[in-house]
Amino acid sequence: MYSIRNRHLLIVDILALTAASYLAFTLRLERLNLGMHWDDWALFTFLASSITLPIFMLARLYSQFWRYASVNELLRLVGTTTLATMITAIVALGATSLSGTFSSPRTVPIIFLPFAVALIAMPRLAVRLFAQLQRRGQPTKIKPILIVGAGDAGAMILREMRNNAILGYDVVGIVDDDPRKQNVRIFGVPVRGTREDIARLVRSYRIQEVIIAMPSAPGDVIRDVVQRCEAVNVRTRIIPAIGRLIDGSVSVSQLRRVEIEDLLRRDPIRTNTEEIRGLLNGKRVLVTGAGGSIGAELCRQIVHSAPDHLLLIGHGENSIFAIANELKQSFPTLALDYRIADIRDRGRLDALYREFRPNVIFHAAAHKHVGLMELNPAEAITNNVMGSQNVVELAAAHRVAHFVMISTDKAVNPTNVMGASKRCAEMVVHRVAQQSGLPYVAVRFGNVLGSNGSVVPIFKRQIAAGGPVTVTHPDMTRYFMTIPEAVQLVLQAASLGRGKEVFVLDMGEPVRIQDMARDLIELSGLQPDEDVKIIFTGTKAGEKLFEELFIPGESYQRTKHEKIFVVQSATNDQISGRTMQLIQRLIAAAHRNDEAVIRLLLKEIVPEYAPTAAVAAPATVTTAALSPPASESTTPASTSQLQSAL
């Protein structure tokens, strides 16, 4: 069967058409010897072959790899055979009418068609069946599994598992919460219940693995399935989101373990890709911090909108080199440039703006690590404040049409230098938007799962090392989002912005860090507090137990995108020349590396800035408290202190 080619099928088709014609005549005449109709049969057979085979070639039926044929190919075969038969019948009828010699019965084509379809399809189906049997083979070990989800994804994954039995999967059942799907069969496999029946089915059928085939299900549903499986000690895996797979296809090789991203306690964010494409298509786009987690993902998503040119700017040569190489390999026709530049170097930025002439700028370059910025406040100011001021002021000077700065929820009632510096950067962007009238905006979101320096990679490394997993406080909570979600928000904000706004993502309910640590341990096939210990170390200087999304006095409302808020701040409207002077003094203090003045000025510029000291974990849990440096001051500044310091 492996040696059969389409040229062999061409010969088989000629024989099949000949046989179908003979069977049609014998059934019509009700005798094996056609007698006076042999000439009619010969003419009809000649016409059928002469017309059908060219039509098959035009329909590319001889270019099909029949080992992988599906229902679509079968329908195409039936359609082309029907068309060819109709043309043959018309030509034969014309020949009969014009010649007194031929007298082919008029019902022959009707009888001929089903025979032709059957005899032409049979060898092709035989090739398909033989290939399927070969793929199935004999597995060395059968693994009984259960599929959760009886939708399209579940059906596709089930079909592939059944076609590839050599992999050793035996699908014993499906569960689905839809009552309409109960007691039905999909490819011969019964739907045996709902999520509540998982534990019973695992015990009854000794299931070794559960496949979650619900790529669009919200995090709470995935979490519930995982918890039910963990309760009966059975492994879970999940198929990727269909939208991320080519043409929506799903294969067994694309199954993966359930990741923490799947357990977000809300539906994933969806954005209006048409608006984003309209903003970026054919434009010259510049991304600062393009080597970071957010910057790199921004570049990956921007290229899908077909920009005219993309410029990557970053300070880390390795990260910029990596994302540039990735984009060049994936999009070889993309007009791409990448430069090593420090956003604190205003002259360097100005030269790049003049050379590149950007239409849209996404400003993702920033220092974001809370603990490190507490130890290095001057770096936080020169990079996050002065750098942002350089980027946005030069954008306005060069009349860049759209500008979006990446901010953070830590800029709300900040308790650390990093958050306060980002709040100052928001003010700078707002001030430039006020003065220029350009649609320059900031985007504020929470912690990004999997980004450089975030908690999830740290937890994974600790689990891989056997623990312990360190959590600062049992009650610490954070808002979370995935990297693609964060980037979609940034892109959507660029299309929504009219100037001076701050956009905030509706990230659902905050998640306890302790719960996230436990989820990751369980997803690794281990038991929290037994296989891997969780210890509480106490909060570090500048850390809050919970994050906030809005500053007191800010008014906010939903945009036309239901998951995005727009903030209109009363305090922003009062950003004055004096505030900008204080920001310039702040930058000057950073250049002098004067930490005391930096903190005093931050308090004056951002009145809600309230530095916190490290707090030990509750005495009821194991602790390893981390003390802040002795030189750090956590006392709020008074106006007199500020004046004397200056």
Side-chain angles (χ1 to χ4, degrees):
M1 284 291 182
Y2 282 118
S3 62
I4 289 180
R5 297 292 182 267
N6 280 301
R7 61 177 178 271
H8 302 135
L9 290 175
L10 176 64
I11 298 172
V12 171
D13 288 345
I14 295 173
L15 297 175
L17 291 168
T18 302
S21 176
Y22 176 72
L23 289 172
F25 271 85
T26 57
L27 283 177
R28 171 64 181 81
L29 300 173
E30 298 182 349
R31 62 176 184 266
L32 296 176
N33 186 350
L34 304 184
M36 61 179 291
H37 290 285
W38 279 112
D39 289 342
D40 301 330
W41 168 79
L43 174 64
F44 187 86
T45 302
F46 172 76
L47 292 174
S49 298
S50 301
I51 293 171
T52 303
L53 298 180
I55 289 178
F56 278 11
M57 291 177 184
L58 290 173
R60 304 186 64 83
L61 290 180
Y62 294 118
S63 301
Q64 174 65 44
F65 202 17
W66 290 98
R67 289 181 59 197
Y68 301 106
S70 65
V71 174
N72 290 334
E73 282 70 34
L74 179 60
L75 292 176
R76 190 150 56 96
L77 181 66
V78 172
T80 51
T81 305
T82 302
L83 175 63
T85 302
M86 291 173 61
I87 297 174
T88 301
I90 293 171
V91 175
L93 181 61
T96 301
S97 301
L98 295 174
S99 172
T101 306
F102 302 106
S103 58
S104 176
R106 295 182 180 182
T107 56
V108 164
I110 299 174
I111 304 172
F112 167 81
L113 178 59
F115 281 120
V117 170
L119 293 175
I120 291 172
M122 282 173 56
R124 290 167 169 82
L125 293 177
V127 172
R128 173 74 173 83
L129 179 62
F130 182 81
Q132 183 172 321
L133 292 174
Q134 287 292 105
R135 286 200 300 270
R136 286 186 176 183
Q138 290 297 324
T140 56
K141 187 177 180 181
I142 297 293
K143 179 188 293 186
I145 70 167
L146 180 71
I147 293 178
V148 181
D152 292 339
M156 283 189 285
I157 208 74
L158 172 60
R159 179 173 59 187
E160 185 160 349
M161 286 179 175
R162 290 174 65 81
N163 289 341
N164 292 277
I166 196 170
L167 297 172
Y169 293 115
D170 178 24
V171 183
V172 299
I174 308 170
V175 296
D176 197 289
D177 290 340
D178 189 345
R180 296 172 297 178
K181 296 177 181 177
Q182 300 305 310
N183 302 315
V184 301
R185 288 179 176 266
I186 300 176
F187 296 120
V189 177
V191 177
R192 299 185 182 274
T194 66
R195 278 183 288 158
E196 295 181 355
D197 298 302
I198 289 176
R200 174 181 61 82
L201 293 171
V202 168
R203 288 189 290 265
S204 299
Y205 294 94
R206 298 183 179 179
I207 290 168
Q208 298 180 20
E209 189 170 312
V210 173
I211 305 298
I212 303 173
M214 300 183 295
S216 60
D220 57 345
V221 174
I222 303 297
R223 181 182 296 274
D224 180 69
V225 173
V226 172
Q227 289 175 344
R228 291 178 185 275
C229 294
E230 291 289 345
V232 289
N233 197 29
V234 65
R235 182 188 182 195
T236 55
R237 286 203 287 168
I238 192 169
I239 64 170
I242 291 182
R244 295 183 180 181
L245 305 180
I246 298 175
D247 295 330
S249 60
V250 179
S251 69
V252 174
S253 62
Q254 290 158 329
L255 288 170
R256 58 173 173 78
R257 295 200 62 164
V258 181
E259 298 287 350
I260 196 68
E261 290 88 342
D262 300 309
L263 305 181
L264 284 175
R265 297 179 179 184
R266 55 176 171 78
D267 294 335
I269 302 300
R270 300 284 183 260
T271 52
N272 188 330
T273 55
E274 287 303 315
E275 284 189 355
I276 294 170
R277 186 175 181 86
L279 174 74
L280 302 177
N281 183 255
K283 302 295 174 51
R284 303 174 68 83
V285 184
L286 183 154
V287 179
T288 71
S293 306
I294 298 297
E297 182 64 20
L298 264 170
C299 296
R300 295 186 189 102
Q301 294 196 28
I302 287 169
V303 294
H304 291 290
S305 295
D308 176 68
H309 211 107
L310 179 62
L311 174 62
L312 318 182
I313 292 179
H315 199 206
E317 57 178 349
N318 293 331
S319 57
I320 289 293
F321 181 77
I323 184 59
N325 266 359
E326 177 188 328
L327 293 176
K328 285 191 291 186
Q329 290 178 1
S330 302
F331 301 89
T333 62
L334 173 68
L336 177 70
D337 276 308
Y338 45 102
R339 299 285 190 273
I340 301 301
D342 191 331
I343 60 173
R344 290 173 284 200
D345 187 340
R346 193 181 182 97
R348 171 70 168 151
L349 281 180
D350 187 49
L352 290 173
Y353 280 34
R354 292 180 185 278
E355 174 188 354
F356 188 68
R357 295 172 288 106
N359 307 116
V360 183
I361 293 178
F362 294 97
H363 175 39
H367 287 326
K368 64 178 185 179
H369 195 285
V370 171
L372 281 176
M373 292 307 100
E374 288 300 301
L375 297 173
N376 302 275
E379 280 290 313
I381 301 307
T382 55
N383 195 65
N384 294 356
V385 183
M386 185 186 77
S388 296
Q389 184 176 29
N390 288 340
V391 175
V392 70
E393 287 183 349
L394 286 171
H398 289 270
R399 304 305 293 176
V400 175
H402 294 274
F403 179 94
V404 180
M405 187 199 86
I406 314 275
S407 189
T408 171
D409 59 359
K410 293 175 178 60
V412 178
N413 295 327
T415 59
N416 50 69
V417 170
M418 192 281 285
S421 70
K422 294 297 283 185
R423 179 71 186 118
C424 290
E426 287 183 4
M427 292 179 179
V428 170
V429 172
H430 188 92
R431 174 73 172 182
V432 172
Q434 277 182 322
Q435 293 180 327
S436 66
L438 293 167
Y440 291 0
V441 300
V443 181
R444 192 186 290 164
F445 50 72
N447 293 264
V448 179
L449 289 171
S451 64
N452 296 332
S454 69
V455 69
V456 172
I458 295 172
F459 284 169
K460 286 182 176 180
R461 288 193 295 270
Q462 291 175 336
I463 293 168
V469 172
T470 56
V471 178
T472 54
H473 194 282
D475 298 322
M476 180 167 285
T477 62
R478 290 291 183 269
Y479 291 99
F480 282 99
M481 60 194 307
T482 65
I483 293 176
E485 282 182 324
V487 168
Q488 288 171 25
L489 171 64
V490 173
L491 294 174
Q492 192 74 65
S495 65
L496 293 173
R498 297 295 177 265
K500 302 187 295 183
E501 301 102 336
V502 173
F503 292 97
V504 180
L505 172 66
D506 180 357
M507 292 176 286
E509 295 299 319
V511 179
R512 280 205 316 171
I513 304 299
Q514 178 185 180
D515 293 339
M516 182 167 285
R518 292 182 180 277
D519 286 339
L520 274 175
I521 294 171
E522 290 174 353
L523 291 175
S524 302
L526 303 169
Q527 290 299 318
D529 303 321
E530 295 181 12
D531 302 314
V532 177
K533 298 293 184 184
I534 297 177
I535 63 172
F536 299 98
T537 60
T539 60
K540 303 166 188 160
E543 280 191 324
K544 293 193 287 188
L545 287 182
F546 59 91
E547 297 291 357
E548 301 161 275
L549 299 179
F550 305 103
I551 298 169
E554 284 184 329
S555 61
Y556 59 90
Q557 60 186 15
R558 292 188 185 275
T559 64
K560 61 182 179 180
H561 189 291
E562 62 176 5
K563 291 294 184 179
I564 300 177
F565 293 102
V566 60
V567 176
Q568 295 290 356
S569 173
T571 56
N572 269 350
D573 292 334
Q574 300 169 9
I575 293 177
S576 61
R578 180 178 180 276
T579 300
M580 298 309 295
Q581 290 174 358
L582 288 174
I583 288 177
Q584 294 310 117
R585 292 181 181 181
L586 176 69
I587 293 170
H591 283 308
R592 299 194 306 271
N593 199 33
D594 193 334
E595 293 188 13
V597 173
I598 288 173
R599 296 178 191 277
L600 291 170
L601 280 165
L602 282 176
K603 180 62 180 174
E604 181 73 6
I605 299 167
V606 187
E608 62 270 20
Y609 171 49
T612 60
V615 177
T620 55
V621 296
T622 306
T623 64
L626 302 178
S627 301
S631 61
E632 289 189 346
S633 170
T634 58
T635 304
S638 66
T639 304
S640 59
Q641 285 176 309
L642 176 64
Q643 291 172 343
S644 62
L646 298 176

